[in-house]
Amino acid sequence: MILSSTNTLENKNIINYHGLVSGESLIGSNVYKDLFSGVRDVVGGRTSRYEEEIQKAREIALNSMKIKAEELGANAIIGLKISYNNLGGTMGNTILVTAYGTAIYYE
Amino acid sequence: MKLPDLNDPYTQKAALSIAIGTIAGLITYEVFLILGIDIFGWNLGLIFAPLVAGYVETIIAKELLNESTGAISALILFIVTVVWGFIIANSTLGFNLITAGSIVVILQAAMPILVNFILLGLILSVFYILGIFKKAADISFYKLRNLYYNFTGKSPTLRLKESIEYDDSITNIHINNLGVLFTSTTHLPGKIEEYMGIYEGKIIFRKDKNIISGDFKEQEQKLLIDLKKAKDQSLLNLSEAVKKDGCNGVVNLTIEYDLVGFGGDSFQVVASGTGVRLAMD
């Protein structure tokens, strides 16, 4: 499965467009983790747990997108966009990770 | 609190000693300022002026009244020198955390109980703003609930059953079989016959505040499913809008999620793109 954020694939012939595929995942208000994240935001310092969580959430979103593309009979996703949206939450740490792209079949 | 009687000789004598103390302190501070006695630019008069004021006041009060007046002039001197020396005269220092803090410390020395209450209120409000109370309450509620279920051997009631039944791939296939080809790319080589303009499908939904299930994973799952449903709905709305104008494709499709509403209690999902008429195979 080729993932690409470009509009076309060089030297590949796109046979069929299957339509939109998307994946979402949420980093939510894990109380144990964010109890003192507010303090840490004020004091400063790296919140490495968040980085890990975001990485994980991104993987989940991309994977669910890939599965859907496979179900549609595609072998590549082009025009891929990944976005991170802050949805508020207790300390503004509910983050929605979305990935969507166009499922295609190429030769 | 009784107001002091100004005609009372005792009050007059006390006021006199306070005034003399204050004047002595001010003179001392002025001398220190003129002579420029300072360490690293920090004038020693700030320490010595209130000391002298308190000392002079106490001596005069002992002479006149045979008792101390509580060194009120020292307090006045403290406030005057801090406000004058730190904030007004020393413009580089200005009004910042440290000067404000020193004023608070002085006030605290003067009126301990009142200022302590104010400080307590400030600390509590900082805690409140950081949301620590709510989180602590949430955690304890969650813990207690789990303890209860462990103790009684019952399992927690799931209220989100119906909404959890959501199949990603089925809706995905459904979305792609609406008779409109959604693509996030900007062009479809050799397929586009006509560009029909910009279309958008939008949905706003309110955050469900009624879930008090306490299980944060559950709440998250519910929110995620709500968001997925909202995305599907916005795509449906978009497909209806483009079909109305005879389009059968959307290129350069973007989906945006936003927090809207009062206090951010609603979500907005917007799917927008360029409607096109595709050549039929």
Side-chain angles (χ1 to χ4, degrees):
Chain A
M1 177 79 58
I2 294 179
L3 296 183
S4 169
S5 59
T6 54
N7 286 315
T8 49
L9 293 174
E10 202 104 334
N11 299 325
K12 302 267 198 299
N13 193 14
I14 296 169
I15 307 289
N16 205 352
Y17 285 87
H18 288 288
L20 194 76
V21 285
S22 63
E24 296 87 7
S25 88
L26 202 65
I27 308 166
S29 43
N30 187 334
V31 272
Y32 302 105
K33 218 169 18 192
D34 72 19
L35 180 58
F36 289 109
S37 69
V39 180
R40 227 176 317 164
D41 289 343
V42 175
V43 176
R46 257 164 88 96
T47 48
S48 56
R49 279 305 299 272
Y50 270 140
E51 291 175 8
E52 281 169 32
E53 289 291 315
I54 286 178
Q55 187 67 29
K56 223 190 284 172
R58 187 169 162 270
E59 291 302 315
I60 292 170
L62 284 176
N63 273 335
S64 79
M65 190 182 67
K66 273 190 230 169
I67 290 166
K68 285 178 208 164
E70 272 162 18
E71 280 169 354
L72 290 173
N75 60 1
I77 299 172
I78 58 172
L80 177 62
K81 285 169 189 143
I82 301 175
S83 63
Y84 301 88
N85 302 277
N86 190 342
L87 295 185
T90 41
M91 291 295 298
N93 46 20
T94 305
I95 297 166
L96 176 72
V97 183
T98 58
Y100 61 91
T102 311
I104 58 157
Y105 184 80
Y106 72 91
E107 267 176 0
Chain B
M1 198 176 124
K2 203 172 68 184
L3 277 173
D5 183 11
L6 287 176
N7 295 323
D8 185 12
Y10 178 88
T11 317
Q12 283 175 353
K13 281 176 184 172
L16 182 70
S17 46
I18 290 170
I20 291 173
T22 310
I23 290 164
L26 282 174
I27 290 168
T28 316
Y29 186 49
E30 199 57 44
V31 169
F32 271 89
L33 274 183
I34 290 165
L35 295 179
I37 301 165
D38 49 23
I39 298 170
F40 301 123
W42 196 76
N43 200 303
L44 288 175
L46 290 174
I47 297 172
F48 285 104
L51 270 181
V52 170
Y55 191 62
V56 169
E57 185 198 317
T58 313
I59 287 175
I60 292 172
K62 280 253 171 73
E63 280 291 312
L64 296 174
L65 304 165
N66 279 330
E67 62 175 5
S68 169
T69 46
I72 294 168
S73 61
L75 180 75
I76 295 170
L77 249 289
F78 257 128
I79 291 177
V80 168
T81 49
V82 166
V83 171
W84 172 258
F86 281 176
I87 298 169
I88 299 169
N90 196 342
S91 55
T92 48
L93 224 55
F95 186 77
N96 58 28
L97 201 67
I98 295 165
T99 51
S102 53
I103 291 173
V104 169
V105 168
I106 292 161
L107 285 175
Q108 204 251 6
M111 295 162 282
I113 296 170
L114 175 71
V115 176
N116 279 352
F117 272 124
I118 293 172
L119 283 178
L120 192 67
L122 268 177
I123 290 167
L124 287 181
S125 54
V126 166
F127 267 60
Y128 178 76
I129 290 165
L130 289 175
I132 288 171
F133 288 130
K134 193 185 174 298
K135 282 173 192 168
D138 281 350
I139 289 178
S140 41
F141 173 74
Y142 189 44
K143 283 271 177 198
L144 279 174
R145 180 173 159 276
N146 276 2
L147 261 179
Y148 169 75
Y149 284 124
N150 280 342
F151 187 67
T152 53
K154 279 189 238 165
S155 58
T157 43
L158 288 173
R159 295 186 214 175
L160 312 169
K161 264 271 148 62
E162 16 79 48
S163 59
I164 279 174
E165 288 167 10
Y166 173 88
D167 198 324
D168 251 348
S169 35
I170 289 172
T171 47
N172 185 48
I173 289 165
H174 178 62
I175 287 289
N176 286 314
N177 280 317
L178 290 170
V180 177
L181 179 64
F182 292 116
T183 62
S184 59
T185 55
T186 48
H187 42 257
L188 300 170
K191 283 194 171 183
I192 298 172
E193 278 189 342
E194 204 176 346
Y195 288 90
M196 301 297 289
I198 294 170
Y199 292 88
E200 69 172 31
K202 177 154 72 171
I203 178 163
I204 296 176
F205 75 98
R206 199 175 259 269
K207 212 184 279 183
D208 192 352
K209 281 183 176 163
N210 296 325
I211 354 164
I212 329 169
S213 71
D215 193 331
F216 295 97
K217 278 269 167 271
E218 247 170 63
Q219 292 184 15
E220 251 171 56
Q221 218 174 340
K222 165 97 169 96
L223 178 60
L224 185 58
I225 285 165
D226 281 350
L227 285 164
K228 283 180 178 179
K229 281 180 179 169
K231 180 206 68 188
D232 295 339
Q233 189 59 49
S234 70
L235 286 171
L236 276 174
N237 292 351
L238 177 64
S239 76
E240 273 163 24
V242 294
K243 270 189 211 162
K244 213 175 274 176
D245 290 355
C247 304
N248 55 1
V250 176
V251 293
N252 200 17
L253 176 67
T254 56
I255 306 173
E256 275 173 38
Y257 298 81
D258 287 305
L259 198 60
V260 294
F262 180 71
D265 65 345
S266 307
F267 298 112
Q268 174 182 265
V269 185
V270 185
S272 64
T274 309
V276 289
R277 216 170 266 168
L278 300 175
M280 285 296 176
D281 294 324

